[in-house]
Amino acid sequence: MLSPLSPLSPRSPAREENKFNWSRPKLISANSGTGHKVSFSGSSKSTKSSKDRGLSHPSQPSNSSRSSSPQTTPSAAIWQPANDRFQTRNWQRIDRQSEALWQETIPLPIESQPRPFLIYHDSFLSLIGPAPTLKILIDDSRAPYFHEAGVFHPKTNTLFITSNLLPDPAPNAVTTGNKTIVITRLEFFSPTDFSRDKVRCPERNYMANGGTNYRDGLILCAQGSLNEPAGLVYMEAKRPHRTCSLLNNYHSRPFNSPNDVVVHSDGSVWFTDPIYGYEQGFRPKPQLPQHVYRFVPSTGDIRVVADGFARPNGIAFSPDEQTLYVTDTDAIHGAGLAWDPTRAATIYAFSLFHDPATQSPFLVNRRVFAHADSGVPDGIKCDVRGNVYAGCGDGINVWNSGGTLIGKILIEGGVANFCFGRKGELWAFGEKKLWRVQLAEGTMGALLKI
């Protein structure tokens, strides 16, 4: 559990008027003699400080150099009306063979961002469609109710979201360091018409964080408290949202604070277990390394499938389930969740290998898939085409299956997690704000495929 932030300082670069709400990176011409540089158009000064999210990040030094005029490249007619004055765009395709692309002008995500969809590769155009939108569904200044989980239950049209840490003055909250986490339930009647209430379970879910669909309900990562064990909890999607514990130990040793979870089609449950609960004061001293686990509810089998992480966090399977993605968010760490840009803000990929004798799955071929250039990659999801989405310090970043950054959805304050809905709908969790993103109808999450 953490709040990814961009360590970038506010700027006010020049803005161009454009009727479209997406933009492309621009490159300086290779013939200009100034080298390869990337600049972006369309941005405004940020209005939200890192202090609002409980972190303090260093500012990025500004670049005062000026670039020469870039070459212009015609854009496809389908994306621009003939009478548009930007029929010839001021951009070039990024040279992916160059390893020295310096950003000169960086767009900062704020609510009034005129073009929040950044195009790094043409393939992103088919994902967002001709008219993508980014809108605020809820703006609640009282507390960070929209932080993690993000589980959409199609049968009931309900979305479940866990909050960030909230103060809890109750006497029995001393075991959580006088902190609590609440689960918000949204029932949708249309994309913008919904009811909102808090989930009140007969049993207490101790500091729920990540979650995923499971059978006719959902699995939540219960981070535990100073007295209560951490583990996995099943919660019914319908009221009264009864719960039961699925797992609360690794061969009698307590988990740290399970963070995120995903379910394989064979019924096994895979989850990450960093030490954020201990660092935030509501879990005892860790008794296990920070592992990735595989749990089989039908047999009770629990085993470690990956180690070597500093802070394992988000987890997701590719659509064919041949690749597992795990994020490491060690750049945000320690008792004060300090920011260190020299630590991991990385997505790792593993290949699944089944042992011929036992058919047990193993994770092999660990490799760096991507590194977030803003904040850390917290929640992670795949779409049905195999593209990888991650909540980062500047919004939602999207890579193709080859690890190439193809686009960004800039969102004020960054995004910890998000969730796919129906037909290109996506909800993004910005702590005190819940955002709704509408992409192309054919852009569907790999989990639900709707």
Side-chain angles (χ1 to χ4, degrees):
M1 171 201 314
L2 55 129
S3 301
L5 279 180
S6 169
L8 308 181
S9 59
R11 305 188 188 182
S12 298
R15 295 171 56 178
E16 301 176 11
E17 296 300 325
N18 192 339
K19 63 191 291 184
F20 297 102
N21 61 352
W22 50 265
S23 61
R24 293 177 183 271
K26 299 184 297 182
L27 283 186
I28 302 304
S29 170
N31 299 324
S32 65
T34 59
H36 294 288
K37 295 185 179 181
V38 180
S39 63
F40 298 91
S41 59
S43 67
S44 302
K45 186 175 181 180
S46 175
T47 59
K48 188 168 185 176
S49 67
S50 60
K51 186 177 180 179
D52 296 332
R53 295 287 292 281
L55 297 176
S56 178
H57 287 186
S59 299
Q60 176 170 310
S62 60
N63 188 342
S64 58
S65 62
R66 292 288 180 179
S67 60
S68 59
S69 300
Q71 295 178 350
T72 58
T73 303
S75 179
I78 189 174
W79 292 104
Q80 290 192 91
N83 61 353
D84 188 273
R85 70 187 182 94
F86 286 91
Q87 180 68 23
T88 301
R89 288 195 180 275
N90 193 21
W91 60 270
Q92 288 183 330
R93 187 182 303 277
I94 294 179
D95 179 6
R96 294 295 183 183
Q97 294 180 347
S98 172
E99 296 181 355
L101 298 177
W102 292 90
Q103 293 183 343
E104 184 183 52
T105 307
I106 301 174
L108 291 176
I110 68 167
E111 184 176 351
S112 59
Q113 174 71 23
R115 287 178 290 170
F117 300 90
L118 293 185
I119 313 299
Y120 285 77
H121 190 274
D122 282 350
S123 58
F124 194 54
L125 291 171
S126 63
L127 297 183
I128 65 176
T133 59
L134 171 65
K135 298 180 179 179
I136 295 178
L137 280 185
I138 301 176
D139 187 353
D140 192 334
S141 61
R142 296 176 300 171
Y145 290 113
F146 313 111
H147 181 59
E148 280 279 7
V151 182
F152 179 61
H153 190 254
K155 290 184 179 179
T156 56
N157 277 329
T158 52
L159 174 65
F160 298 89
I161 309 169
T162 58
S163 73
N164 209 327
L165 294 178
L166 306 175
D168 188 353
N172 62 350
V174 65
T175 61
T176 58
N178 290 110
K179 306 178 182 72
T180 190
I181 289 175
V182 301
I183 304 173
T184 295
R185 177 184 183 272
L186 301 176
E187 181 177 0
F188 285 90
F189 311 106
S190 75
T192 57
D193 182 19
F194 54 88
S195 63
R196 173 189 177 186
D197 62 346
K198 293 180 182 179
V199 171
R200 293 174 172 82
C201 304
E203 306 83 9
R204 184 176 180 183
N205 283 323
Y206 284 93
M207 310 300 277
N209 195 58
T212 191
N213 301 79
Y214 184 69
R215 297 182 178 175
D216 198 33
L218 55 152
I219 288 179
L220 294 171
C221 291
Q223 297 178 98
S225 69
L226 294 174
N227 293 340
E228 298 297 327
L232 301 178
V233 171
Y234 173 77
M235 186 179 80
E236 294 178 347
K238 298 179 180 179
R239 293 184 178 92
H241 303 298
R242 290 177 297 183
T243 63
C244 67
S245 177
L246 298 178
L247 176 71
N248 62 16
N249 71 90
Y250 175 74
H251 301 294
S252 300
R253 294 172 65 179
F255 292 114
N256 299 317
S257 48
N259 189 281
D260 205 1
V261 58
V262 66
V263 177
H264 192 277
S265 60
D266 66 4
S268 60
V269 182
W270 303 58
F271 63 99
T272 59
D273 188 35
I275 61 171
Y276 281 121
Y278 170 70
E279 292 180 324
Q280 293 175 311
F282 60 86
R283 285 291 290 152
K285 185 178 180 180
Q287 301 297 310
L288 285 167
Q290 300 181 79
H291 287 150
V292 176
Y293 294 91
R294 179 181 183 267
F295 171 59
V296 182
S298 60
T299 65
D301 178 53
I302 173 71
R303 64 186 182 92
V304 176
V305 289
D307 63 2
F309 295 94
R311 300 291 186 281
N313 199 318
I315 186 169
F317 281 108
S318 61
D320 61 5
E321 297 183 323
Q322 295 302 304
T323 303
L324 180 72
Y325 299 100
V326 180
T327 71
D328 192 331
T329 54
D330 188 44
I332 298 179
H333 67 284
L337 293 184
W339 167 259
D340 185 345
T342 67
R343 297 193 179 212
T346 308
I347 302 173
Y348 293 95
F350 298 82
S351 299
L352 264 70
F353 168 77
H354 287 79
D355 177 71
T358 64
Q359 289 303 304
S360 295
F362 289 87
L363 295 180
V364 298
N365 190 23
R366 172 176 173 150
R367 56 210 182 266
V368 172
F369 175 78
H371 184 87
D373 63 80
S374 177
V376 295
D378 195 332
I380 187 171
K381 306 285 192 301
C382 290
D383 65 22
V384 292
R385 305 179 192 181
N387 298 299
V388 179
Y389 301 62
C392 298
D394 54 357
I396 299 175
N397 292 192
V398 185
W399 296 264
N400 64 18
S401 58
T404 296
L405 179 68
I406 62 174
K408 290 186 177 186
I409 306 171
L410 299 182
I411 297 178
E412 173 193 10
V415 168
N417 214 326
F418 56 96
C419 178
F420 281 98
R422 287 188 174 91
K423 296 182 177 180
E425 184 176 40
L426 188 149
W427 297 285
F429 312 140
E431 302 300 322
K432 295 182 180 181
K433 293 180 180 179
L434 174 63
W435 300 81
R436 181 183 184 273
V437 184
Q438 182 61 57
L439 306 175
E441 288 192 358
T443 301
M444 299 177 287
L447 181 62
L448 298 178
K449 300 179 177 64
I450 56 175

